[in-house]
């Protein structure tokens, strides 16, 4: 998405040639392949550890830190290894997104008309909001100090980064639609009148 926005704003006349079907297929394949390899690495590591503290995970889905808590072997090196690989993959994506948006914002700020800048920002900010929500909650989930770790906090944080971004994604992107904005304003005004 960041690269798509970058090409749309910084290279608008070349968008059709740069973002052709071949480029989209390559980017989708790279995203799917890296996600599959990352998941395969986590799955292989999970199946290789002995579990001796039962098989009840205190989450609504099997998450790696929760499974490592059930291990009877010292899982410190496994956890650090997985964290390093995940951090490298995540950091690479994060750097790519940041560099794309730095170039986008540099190009947008050079647009002379305020209407043009507003249009460009309204195209980029929804994606940036969803990515920021996902990254901030997942960083908190995996990098929070053990002193504030509890079952309830872990569950809330897992819901925040796994359920909330995909759930609000359509809402955030649809807020660019004028009719939907008007309907939402009317709904908010109606709710406010009902509470008065």
């Amino acid at each position: 998405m960041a690269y798509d926005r970058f090409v749309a704003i910084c290279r608008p006349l070349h968008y059709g040639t740069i973002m052709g079907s071949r480029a989209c297929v390559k980017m989708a394949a790279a995203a799917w392949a890296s996600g599959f390899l990352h998941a395969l690495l986590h799955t292989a590591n999970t199946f290789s550890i002995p579990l001796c503290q039962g098989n009840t995970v205190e989450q609504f889905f099997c998450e790696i830190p929760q499974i490592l808590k059930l291990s009877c072997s010292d899982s410190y090196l496994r956890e650090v290894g997985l964290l390093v690989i995940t951090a490298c993959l995540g950091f690479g994506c994060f750097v790519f997104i940041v560099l794309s948006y730095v170039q986008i914002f540099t190009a947008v700020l050079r647009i002379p008309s305020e209407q043009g800048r507003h249009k460009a920002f309204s195209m980029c900010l929804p994606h940036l909001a969803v990515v920021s929500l996902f990254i901030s909650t997942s960083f908190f989930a995996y990098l929070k100090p053990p002193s504030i770790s509890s079952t309830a906090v872990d569950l809330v944080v897992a819901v925040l980064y796994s359920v909330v971004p995909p759930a609000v994604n359509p809402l955030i992107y649809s807020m660019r639609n004028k009719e939907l904005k008007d309907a939402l304003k009317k709904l908010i005004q109606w709710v406010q009148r009902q509470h008065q």
Side-chain angles (χ1 to χ4, degrees):
M1 291 291 292
Y3 185 68
D4 177 66
R5 300 299 191 253
F6 165 74
V7 174
I9 291 174
C10 297
R11 311 254 193 285
L13 298 177
H14 300 284
Y15 184 83
T17 56
I18 294 173
M19 292 301 293
S21 59
R22 180 177 285 159
C24 291
V25 167
K26 286 180 183 179
M27 287 190 289
W32 290 334
S34 63
F36 177 77
L37 291 174
H38 188 250
L40 186 66
L41 176 68
H42 279 286
T43 303
N45 187 46
T46 301
F47 280 126
S48 69
I49 60 174
L51 302 177
C52 62
Q53 298 182 22
N55 62 358
T56 305
V57 178
E58 296 179 5
Q59 288 282 358
F60 61 94
F61 62 95
C62 291
E63 191 173 47
I64 303 298
Q66 298 301 320
I67 294 172
L68 289 174
K69 288 179 182 178
L70 302 176
S71 172
C72 52
S73 65
D74 185 21
S75 60
Y76 177 74
L77 287 177
R78 290 175 191 265
E79 193 171 349
V80 168
L82 286 175
L83 267 173
V84 166
I85 290 170
T86 302
C88 289
L89 185 63
F91 187 70
C93 292
F94 179 73
V95 166
F96 180 76
I97 290 169
V98 167
L99 289 176
S100 296
Y101 274 105
V102 164
Q103 291 183 357
I104 288 169
F105 289 143
T106 302
V108 168
L109 292 175
R110 282 187 262 144
I111 295 174
S113 73
E114 188 174 328
Q115 183 181 11
R117 284 193 304 269
H118 177 71
K119 185 176 180 182
F121 277 129
S122 70
M123 188 170 90
C124 295
L125 291 180
H127 176 249
L128 204 54
V130 171
V131 169
S132 299
L133 178 66
F134 175 74
I135 288 175
S136 61
T137 54
S138 58
F139 273 175
F140 181 75
Y142 288 104
L143 301 178
K144 70 181 179 305
S147 61
I148 63 169
S149 184
S150 71
T151 304
V153 170
D154 291 345
L155 185 62
V156 167
V157 170
V159 167
L160 278 176
Y161 83 85
S162 64
V163 176
V164 173
V168 299
N169 197 13
L171 179 67
I172 289 173
Y173 280 108
S174 63
M175 290 312 292
R176 291 178 58 204
N177 185 330
K178 184 165 176 36
E179 291 86 22
L180 188 66
K181 281 183 192 178
D182 293 339
L184 186 62
K185 285 178 186 175
K186 288 178 184 176
L187 178 66
I188 291 171
Q189 290 171 350
W190 181 80
V191 169
Q192 288 175 342
R193 278 183 281 180
Q194 295 299 321
H195 286 295
Q196 291 175 353

